[in-house]
Amino acid sequence: MLIVLFQGCGHTSDNLQKSTYIGGEIINPTTDHVLIRRRGKLLDTVFLDEDNRFSYKIDSAEHGLYLIQHKPETQNLYVAPGDSLLLRVNTLAFDESIHFSGKGNAENNFMSEMFLLDEANSKLLLSFDDYPPAEFQKIADSIHQERLNELQKIAKKKKFSNDFVALAKDVIKYENFDLKERYTYLVTKYFKEYAKQFPENFHDYRKTADFNSEALQCSPGYKRFLENYLINYSLSWCATSGLDSADCSSLTDVENVMARIRKAGELVQLSSLRQSLLKKIAVRGVVMAESRDHIIAIINELRNQKLPEEDIDEMRQLGTIQLAYLPGTSVANVRLLNLEGEFVKINDVLEKPTVIFLWSVYKTGHLEEHKLINQFRKKYPDVDFIGINLDIKEEPAWRVAVRNNNYNTNFEYQLAPTRINKKFFEYYLDKMLFLDPSGEVVNGDTYLTSPRFETTILELLNQ
């Protein structure tokens, strides 16, 4: 989690006179910079020096949560006017290694520790079916109280401000709310017996939840609560809407997606938070859309919610990519760049049934992915497996990666420049594209790690 991006999520205040300093060191950086955002807007891009250190001055810092991020990691940061914070982190073990020093360090180290404890809640959810709803409610509330007790003890010792204590209590509260929402989803989808046993007051917290907390809009736990609440809302809505029950259990069903979009638009009015929620829901729907009509329906719903036109255009670009993954679509004329520097079309390189996988030099996992692909090449010699690199216009980085990792040069290409912003292709890094020898899509909805991956290969061969 690391970016220095200051996305101010705290409340405005009149005493913003003192300068605040943020700096630190990133061990094993993944990029050469950190970003600083405030309320969803980029304040600055701060580059790392030769020692992988950075520094930034905020002349008018607000009390409250900021978001610190170094792609692909993000971390909350609590800032008060006059603070002078230094952080040190190793990206190889980000959450476990992050440490703050300087003025304001106690609050931020406490926040980091609470984040790790919240992550541990996921282990509890792995065995959710061991706990009937009433028992799970007691466990969740006990965890909540333990967190509050720890805050009270440390606040007294470290002399935390009333502002920070109030904010920390809210962060802990919404982590509790989110834990219950995640449990509700698991029970509703996978354990119908427990779904009938919820105590009458289990979801009472929803009555008091604030869906427009300006102070918490940067909190990962708060945003996760909103997302999971919306998921559970859409499942409940679907169950009473007369739709097929199988569709109700699918979070990517177009009606389910649009129900979440409508509810998010109704509940959330904070501009930045509302925008990010709507886009996140829509992205999932578009990437998994089963038809052109579904893509259009999602985009039209976003337009009904008055999402900015630039965001609508982004969804259109994403939808254009998804169209290429729909069965029956021809991608024969898609342009690629070969290792000799020549532009070719997919149709020029197809000789037999083919599986296409996407990868990027800057995304971890491509080495392991290629190893798996090589295993399938040996097992299925009647199928070609072609890698398409997405680092458009970055030929040297691509060529070096192919050479240094000994990737099979007979099956490596780079996507040619396109009008679609390359960032949108990243949503498809895990999706595999199954083509017949003519370049027509047979399947575009299977993942390399899916249990159905080999079955889909056999279906391709048996066409």
Side-chain angles (χ1 to χ4, degrees):
M1 294 174 157
L2 184 67
I3 245 191
V4 174
L5 42 24
F6 287 96
Q7 175 172 322
C9 296
H11 59 273
T12 54
S13 167
D14 292 331
N15 58 346
L16 306 178
Q17 308 305 317
K18 298 180 181 178
S19 293
T20 300
Y21 295 88
I22 309 292
E25 176 185 7
I26 305 173
I27 302 170
N28 297 309
T30 56
T31 67
D32 63 354
H33 63 275
V34 294
L35 306 176
I36 300 177
R37 300 181 189 271
R38 181 172 181 268
R39 292 201 176 111
K41 296 180 180 179
L42 182 66
L43 292 184
D44 211 340
T45 299
V46 184
F47 287 91
L48 305 179
D49 65 18
E50 60 184 10
D51 297 315
N52 296 328
R53 294 174 180 168
F54 67 91
S55 62
Y56 190 74
K57 176 185 176 184
I58 309 175
D59 289 324
S60 299
E62 298 177 321
H63 283 95
L65 289 182
Y66 287 66
L67 192 64
I68 199 169
Q69 181 181 1
H70 177 76
K71 288 184 178 179
E73 303 288 353
T74 57
Q75 172 73 39
N76 271 151
L77 187 71
Y78 178 80
V79 168
D83 279 354
S84 183
L85 277 172
L86 289 175
L87 68 85
R88 189 172 188 272
V89 68
N90 188 331
T91 62
L92 298 181
F94 191 93
D95 298 337
E96 295 77 10
S97 68
I98 191 167
H99 179 75
F100 293 91
S101 59
K103 187 178 180 183
N105 72 304
E107 290 85 349
N108 285 285
N109 283 325
F110 174 80
M111 294 280 287
S112 295
E113 290 169 12
M114 288 299 102
F115 177 83
L116 288 175
L117 289 173
D118 183 46
E119 289 291 290
N121 289 342
S122 297
K123 296 180 181 178
L124 174 64
L125 291 169
L126 289 175
S127 54
F128 76 94
D129 53 342
D130 289 340
Y131 309 103
E135 185 177 348
F136 188 88
Q137 182 181 29
K138 290 180 181 177
I139 294 172
D141 289 343
S142 175
I143 291 172
H144 179 218
Q145 190 57 52
E146 287 175 10
R147 301 277 200 276
L148 290 177
N149 292 343
E150 183 68 12
L151 171 62
Q152 183 178 19
K153 182 174 70 174
I154 295 181
K156 185 176 181 180
K157 180 179 179 181
K158 299 291 186 179
K159 298 181 180 178
F160 289 160
S161 67
N162 291 336
D163 179 88
F164 176 75
V165 171
L167 183 105
K169 283 182 178 179
D170 279 343
V171 169
I172 293 169
K173 177 176 69 176
Y174 282 95
E175 287 171 352
N176 172 262
F177 289 1
D178 178 59
L179 182 60
K180 291 176 180 176
E181 289 293 338
R182 284 188 282 168
Y183 173 81
T184 298
Y185 169 72
L186 292 170
V187 165
T188 301
K189 185 167 184 177
Y190 300 108
F191 213 66
K192 304 297 184 184
E193 180 182 344
Y194 280 176
K196 302 173 183 177
Q197 299 179 25
F198 280 105
E200 189 175 339
N201 68 344
F202 188 96
H203 296 107
D204 278 359
Y205 60 87
R206 291 175 175 172
K207 300 174 185 177
T208 61
D210 181 359
F211 294 93
N212 291 279
S213 173
E214 186 174 0
L216 291 177
Q217 61 180 309
C218 278
S219 165
Y222 176 69
K223 289 191 287 189
R224 194 172 59 228
F225 159 70
L226 296 180
E227 292 165 11
N228 288 320
Y229 168 81
L230 290 168
I231 285 173
N232 285 323
Y233 163 80
S234 67
L235 295 180
S236 177
W237 168 85
C238 189
T240 59
S241 66
L243 295 177
D244 187 277
S245 59
D247 294 334
C248 288
S249 64
S250 171
L251 298 183
T252 57
D253 174 75
V254 65
E255 295 294 343
N256 197 314
V257 169
M258 291 200 296
R260 293 206 298 283
I261 290 175
R262 287 192 295 269
K263 192 63 175 179
E266 171 192 329
L267 288 177
V268 183
Q269 300 306 317
L270 284 174
S271 178
S272 178
L273 182 61
R274 185 177 189 273
Q275 188 174 349
S276 65
L277 267 177
L278 290 175
K279 286 177 64 176
K280 188 167 186 178
I281 297 168
V283 163
R284 187 170 188 179
V286 170
V287 169
M288 300 301 292
E290 297 178 354
S291 70
R292 177 188 294 269
D293 288 344
H294 288 178
I295 295 171
I296 292 172
I298 291 171
I299 290 175
N300 285 341
E301 188 57 53
L302 292 177
R303 188 174 282 109
N304 291 339
Q305 298 298 329
K306 303 192 185 316
L307 202 66
E309 190 57 36
E310 61 204 49
D311 294 328
I312 298 291
D313 183 62
E314 289 187 356
M315 292 304 107
R316 286 198 198 97
Q317 292 189 59
L318 197 62
T320 300
I321 301 174
Q322 178 60 14
L323 288 175
Y325 278 77
L326 300 180
T329 302
S330 175
V331 295
N333 291 322
V334 172
R335 296 170 70 241
L336 306 175
L337 181 70
N338 65 24
L339 286 163
E340 286 71 46
E342 303 166 330
F343 288 108
V344 297
K345 294 180 180 179
I346 283 184
N347 194 46
D348 298 328
V349 302
L350 294 180
E351 296 180 357
K352 57 179 78 169
T354 299
V355 177
I356 287 179
F357 63 99
L358 308 180
W359 65 281
S360 168
V361 171
Y362 306 105
K363 297 295 180 181
T364 59
H366 63 83
L367 185 60
E368 185 62 32
E369 182 179 37
H370 277 78
K371 288 180 181 178
L372 285 172
I373 290 295
N374 282 335
Q375 293 173 17
F376 286 117
R377 281 194 178 115
K378 294 176 182 177
K379 189 172 182 178
Y380 299 100
D382 293 330
V383 177
D384 279 341
F385 294 82
I386 292 179
I388 298 181
N389 177 268
L390 297 180
D391 305 312
I392 302 171
K393 296 183 179 180
E394 295 187 62
E395 294 178 47
W398 164 54
R399 295 175 193 277
V400 168
V402 170
R403 183 177 64 248
N404 288 351
N405 293 303
N406 294 314
Y407 293 160
N408 191 324
T409 57
N410 294 321
F411 301 104
E412 290 294 339
Y413 298 86
Q414 186 178 74
L415 188 66
T418 171
R419 288 177 296 176
I420 299 173
N421 191 313
K422 67 180 181 181
K423 70 179 181 181
F424 298 114
F425 288 100
E426 294 181 6
Y427 292 105
Y428 291 83
L429 282 172
D430 298 324
K431 267 195 169 189
M432 315 298 283
L433 196 58
F434 293 75
L435 307 178
D436 70 14
S438 73
E440 183 174 302
V441 177
V442 176
N443 186 297
D445 193 27
T446 302
Y447 297 82
L448 181 60
T449 56
S450 167
R452 278 193 49 81
F453 182 69
E454 288 197 70
T455 301
T456 310
I457 292 177
L458 294 174
E459 290 172 352
L460 179 66
L461 285 172
N462 291 328
Q463 275 220 316

